[in-house]
Each structure stands twice: as C-alpha cells, then as structure tokens.
Amino acid sequence: MLAALAIVEFLGPCRFSHFDAFGLPVGKAVPLPVVQVGATALDQTEQTIDFIRGMLSESPAEREFGLEIGKSIVQFKSGKPGSIRPKATAGRTNEGNRPTFARAPVG
C-alpha cells in the first residue's frame, strides 16, 4: 500500500485543484514531488523501494512519464525535478528538500 501511495504522490494528480461543473473534485499533480521512504536504516526501506520499482518497471507509467528507475531512486529522465528515494531517519544531519510525502514502514 505504501508503494502505491508513493507512486500516486510522485506521478498522480493527488492535490486538489478545483470542482468541475458537476461539483466533483479535480486533482492536479505536485509540481516538485519529493517522496521519501524512511526507516531507521536504509536497508529497512528496501522492501518498499523494491515494490515501487516492480510496480513501475516496464509499466505504461514508465514510458508515459519518462521514468528513470534506478536501484534505489526513481526520477524523470528529462531532468524534471522530483524523485522517490529511501531516507535513513536516524542521522542527526537529515537536511535538504522538503518532502511532499514521507512515510516510514510500519511493522
């Protein structure tokens, strides 16, 4: 489930934009999707990252969005900003981009 939510945040129209003529909500994509899969150690993120890679590899989304699916990072081939990446949360110096979606595996 976490893998699917990460992909929706990265690619999907998951933010509210407006209501259409029928009163139904319309979504829009996140302009700079920074998706982090966090755990105390990086090796604890592998299962979720593997699911993300498996769901995207050779999928219509990989072609349509021009994805570069690496061993641990998913990003756009075009250089468009945004990524899905693992994040170790135990370090004292976790600085950088502000994530648009971050979720630690529960288990």
Side-chain angles (χ1 to χ4, degrees):
M1 175 97 156
L2 175 57
L5 289 173
I7 292 168
V8 168
E9 176 71 14
F10 185 58
L11 299 175
C14 60
R15 294 291 191 273
F16 177 78
S17 173
H18 62 280
F19 290 104
D20 68 12
F22 300 103
L24 299 174
V26 175
K28 64 181 178 180
V30 177
L32 175 58
V34 177
V35 179
Q36 297 177 344
V37 177
T40 304
L42 284 178
D43 62 341
Q44 294 173 323
T45 65
E46 286 177 6
Q47 185 176 17
T48 303
I49 294 294
D50 285 347
F51 273 110
I52 291 169
R53 290 175 55 234
M55 293 169 79
L56 290 175
S57 292
E58 299 182 20
S59 71
E62 181 181 17
R63 291 182 298 280
E64 181 178 337
F65 292 97
L67 300 179
E68 182 177 318
I69 302 169
K71 180 102 174 128
S72 61
I73 298 172
V74 177
Q75 55 195 359
F76 299 101
K77 288 179 184 176
S78 67
K80 175 182 168 185
S83 64
I84 299 175
R85 65 181 62 221
K87 180 84 168 178
T89 59
R92 292 184 184 187
T93 60
N94 282 329
E95 297 179 6
N97 307 19
R98 294 179 185 241
T100 61
F101 181 79
R103 180 72 168 90
V106 178

